Every structure is written in C-alpha cells, then in structure tokens.
C-alpha cells in the first residue's frame, strides 16, 4: 500500500486545537500565534478536503467530522510524546554527555576510553566537541574537560594536569632540517600554527627571547590538524605535552629542543552545581581523576576496577593559552 505523506505539523496543531476546542488555547500551549494555528488547520483541511472547524467572526467551532477526527488522533500524539520521552529518559540514564576539545579527545581520551567502557559497559560517553565558553545552563551537558584556571560559573572543578608546551616534530623532519638543539636553530624551519592557538608560537618565542618573525609558516584551523601535520613531517609545532605523551612515547613526535614551558593554564574536569551529579557522571569523573593519579571525588578509592595511568609532569605556571 502506498503510504501517505502526512502533514505532521498541521495534524499536531489540529489535535491540540480539537482538545481545547479553541485556537487561542492551542496557540498558547504551542507558543505560537492564533493565526499560525488557523493557518496550520487550513493546510490540513485542504489536504483532507474536509472542513474541521466552522469559522465565525470571533470564534471557531468543531464540525462533526472535526470532532470525530480529533478524538482519534489526539490520543496518538499523546502516545507518540510518551514514547519519545521514554526514549529520551532511557538515553539520559545510560549516557554521559561530555564537552571536550577535539584535540584532547583524540590524543588523550580516546586511547584510554576502552578502559572505562570495560569497567562500565552500561555507560556510554557522548562527545560534544564544540569550542565555546562553557555554560551548563540550557544544555544537556553532564561534565566537561576544559583548559583554564579552574573557575567556571555555577560549576565545580578538579585539576587533571598543568599545561606545558614545547617544540615537536617528526623524526623524519628533524633528520632533514637538523641538527636542532637550541631555539636559534629553528631559523630555517617551517613553523606550523593552529589558527585559534596562533599565540602559542608567540608565547614560546617571548619566553625564550627568540625572534621568529621571518620564519616560514603554515596555518591550520585546529591543533588537531596542526599536530597531525607535525607527525606527517610538514614542520615544527608547539605541542601540548600532556596530550601528546603517546605520540612522543611511540616516536611519532620528538622534542628536539627539550625545553618544556608551563603556560599557566591546566586541564580540569568540570561539572555543574545547579543540578545533582548522577551516578554515571560521578563514575566518569572519578575515572578521569584516576587516569592522572588524583584521588577520587565521589567514591572511595578501590570501589570498582583499578587502572591507573601515569600522570603528566606537574609544574607551576604563569600564563594561559587557548586549546582547540
């Protein structure tokens, strides 16, 4: 049987209008104008080729066909809404909604996440990788990992590790451009920039009192692309050492100058204070803290499986850089 292309918005508008028996009350429930309700019902009447309401000068009255049709479909929309709410509630109960930078997710979190899913197979982590100021109000976020000073509105936070940066590149590029042992040796090198972290090279140069104004430069939209370009041998990048531990350990990146510099910022796990923290989110926060050797926030140490990874080196620092 050929299926009908049902006009769902007009059907919903009519179902609510038939329940209230007035356009005004239906408009109030849907948050639209009375004219909009009338227009939607007119679309449905044209589709069905029947009159559902008799319109007067100042009022509208259900026809017999409209009354019968309204009784049939209003319950269907109630049932559809109940099913949708049930799915949303089930999804919410089993999912941690996480705001995280793409670079942090790719380089630091993803290599470790299998450990969390093995311990808690019923909990899923949904990534929100938008890069914008963190505000839990009006969002479905449960937790976030952010780079900053530890202060966010209506939120609590725990430090994971300080941010340190250093020059990184592939061994292949170093063999071609070297020897490079000091900042001054970068004069003939290609410098890779992330568009939103362009100050990273400036910060490094100012700290070590090096002039990089005449160096060849290549720009990418994000740190994720910049670090990938460094691994592929395109040039030198300012790497966030805490995120690139695996790449450095596995030899995909090297630190030819080996002058780590603290930026003054740190990575924090952050959660809202306006709502209670559910069990699944507490488990995830404690797991994140465990990965960097920190004490748990919510559960006693030893509750659940153990898997501790080495924490990045901690240093005191003085000035922050954005992260993308």
């Amino acid at each position: 049987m050929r299926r009908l292309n049902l006009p769902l918005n007009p059907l919903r508008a009519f179902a609510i209008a038939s329940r209230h028996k007035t356009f005004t009350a239906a408009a109030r429930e849907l948050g639209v104008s009375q004219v909009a309700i009338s227009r939607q019902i007119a679309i449905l009447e044209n589709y069905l080729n029947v009159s559902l309401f008799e319109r007067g000068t100042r009022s509208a009255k259900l026809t017999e066909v409209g009354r019968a049709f309204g009784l049939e479909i209003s319950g269907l929309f109630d049932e559809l809404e109940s099913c949708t709410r049930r799915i949303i509630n089930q999804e919410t109960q089993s999912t941690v909604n996480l705001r995280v930078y793409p670079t942090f997710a790719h380089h630091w979190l993803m290599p470790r996440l299998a450990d969390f899913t093995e311990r808690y197979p019923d909990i899923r982590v949904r990534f929100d990788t938008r890069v914008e100021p963190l505000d839990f109000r009006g969002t479905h976020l449960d937790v976030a990992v952010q780079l900053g000073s530890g202060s966010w509105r209506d939120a609590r936070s725990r430090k994971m590790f300080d941010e340190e940066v250093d020059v990184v590149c592939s061994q292949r590029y170093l063999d071609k451009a070297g020897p490079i042992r000091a900042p001054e040796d970068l004069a003939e090198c290609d410098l890779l920039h992330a568009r939103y972290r362009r100050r990273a090279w400036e910060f490094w140069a100012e700290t070590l009192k090096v002039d990089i104004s005449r160096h060849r430069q290549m720009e990418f939209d994000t740190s994720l692309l910049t670090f990938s370009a460094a691994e592929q041998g395109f040039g030198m990048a300012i790497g966030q050492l805490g995120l690139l531990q695996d790449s450095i350990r596995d030899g995909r990146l090297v630190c030819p100058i080996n002058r780590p510099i603290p930026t003054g910022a740190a990575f924090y796990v952050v959660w809202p204070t306006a709502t209670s923290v559910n069990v699944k989110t507490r488990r995830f926060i404690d797991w994140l803290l465990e990965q960097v050797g920190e004490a748990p926030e919510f559960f006693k140490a030893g509750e659940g499986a153990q898997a501790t990874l080495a924490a990045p080196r901690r240093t005191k620092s003085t000035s922050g850089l954005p992260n993308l």
Side-chain angles (χ1 to χ4, degrees):
M1 182 183 296
R2 182 171 174 268
R3 293 188 177 276
L4 298 175
N5 186 17
L6 297 175
L8 293 179
N9 282 337
L11 279 167
R12 181 168 180 255
F14 170 71
I16 294 173
S18 67
R19 179 188 301 154
H20 291 295
K21 297 182 174 59
T22 68
F23 291 175
T24 302
R28 188 180 303 116
E29 179 174 331
L30 290 175
V32 299
S33 68
Q34 185 177 340
V35 173
I37 294 293
S38 179
R39 186 180 299 117
Q40 289 293 309
I41 291 174
I43 292 171
L44 182 60
E45 288 175 327
N46 290 334
Y47 177 84
L48 298 173
N49 198 27
V50 297
S51 295
L52 300 172
F53 274 91
E54 294 177 358
R55 292 166 175 79
T57 305
R58 296 185 177 178
S59 64
K61 181 180 178 182
L62 279 166
T63 64
E64 287 299 320
V65 173
R67 184 177 298 107
F69 189 50
L71 288 173
E72 287 193 71
I73 71 168
S74 60
L76 297 177
F77 276 94
D78 289 341
E79 185 176 348
L80 179 61
E81 184 169 336
S82 296
C83 291
T84 304
R85 287 185 182 277
R86 186 163 58 250
I87 290 296
I88 290 173
N89 289 337
Q90 289 174 352
E91 181 73 4
T92 301
Q93 290 170 4
S94 62
T95 302
V96 174
N97 292 294
L98 168 69
R99 170 72 59 80
V100 63
Y101 302 114
T103 311
F104 188 97
H106 177 80
H107 286 284
W108 192 93
L109 183 56
M110 292 300 291
R112 294 164 170 79
L113 194 60
D115 175 72
F116 179 79
T117 58
E118 287 174 7
R119 296 195 213 183
Y120 307 105
D122 296 331
I123 301 177
R124 291 182 292 172
V125 180
R126 175 181 291 159
F127 289 14
D128 176 342
T129 57
R130 283 174 288 187
V131 181
E132 57 187 37
L134 178 64
D135 189 345
F136 287 105
R137 296 172 302 173
T139 72
H140 297 293
L141 295 175
D142 297 308
V143 63
V145 174
Q146 296 286 286
L147 181 66
S149 61
S151 178
W152 286 270
R153 181 175 181 176
D154 299 324
R156 288 193 61 193
S157 65
R158 287 278 305 274
K159 182 192 284 191
M160 295 179 63
F161 53 87
D162 292 310
E163 183 190 39
E164 288 184 318
V165 297
D166 197 0
V167 174
V168 297
C169 66
S170 70
Q171 185 62 52
R172 180 177 60 177
Y173 185 85
L174 182 60
D175 293 341
K176 180 179 68 173
I180 295 173
R181 300 184 181 89
E184 295 76 13
D185 296 336
L186 298 180
E188 300 301 322
C189 293
D190 300 279
L191 307 189
L192 309 179
H193 293 264
R195 182 160 62 96
Y196 291 107
R197 278 181 59 85
R198 192 169 184 84
R199 189 175 172 271
W201 271 109
E202 295 176 8
F203 170 78
W204 178 85
E206 290 170 2
T207 302
L208 297 181
K209 296 179 173 54
V210 178
D211 181 12
I212 60 171
S213 60
R214 290 185 171 84
H215 290 56
R216 296 190 302 270
Q217 302 183 16
M218 186 182 302
E219 185 173 279
F220 299 87
D221 275 348
T222 66
S223 295
L224 187 60
L225 290 174
T226 306
F227 297 156
S228 177
E231 288 190 14
Q232 299 302 318
F234 283 88
M236 302 280 187
I238 295 295
Q240 294 166 290
L241 300 182
L243 303 188
L244 300 177
Q245 285 181 330
D246 292 347
S247 295
I248 294 170
R249 183 194 64 220
D250 297 341
R252 297 192 301 274
L253 289 172
V254 296
C255 300
I257 299 175
N258 196 23
R259 293 282 297 274
I261 301 172
T263 68
F267 285 95
Y268 289 82
V269 55
V270 191
W271 62 94
T273 55
T275 57
S276 61
V277 184
N278 55 45
V279 172
K280 67 181 188 305
T281 303
R282 294 180 186 183
R283 293 291 186 194
F284 185 71
I285 291 170
D286 277 3
W287 176 81
L288 285 174
L289 293 171
E290 180 187 324
Q291 301 309 295
V292 293
E294 293 289 344
E297 175 71 22
F298 297 103
F299 300 99
K300 294 180 180 179
E303 290 186 21
Q306 294 294 314
T308 303
L309 300 181
R313 178 169 48 187
R314 308 299 178 102
T315 58
K316 294 182 180 179
S317 45
T318 55
S319 63
L321 294 170
N323 182 79
L324 291 176

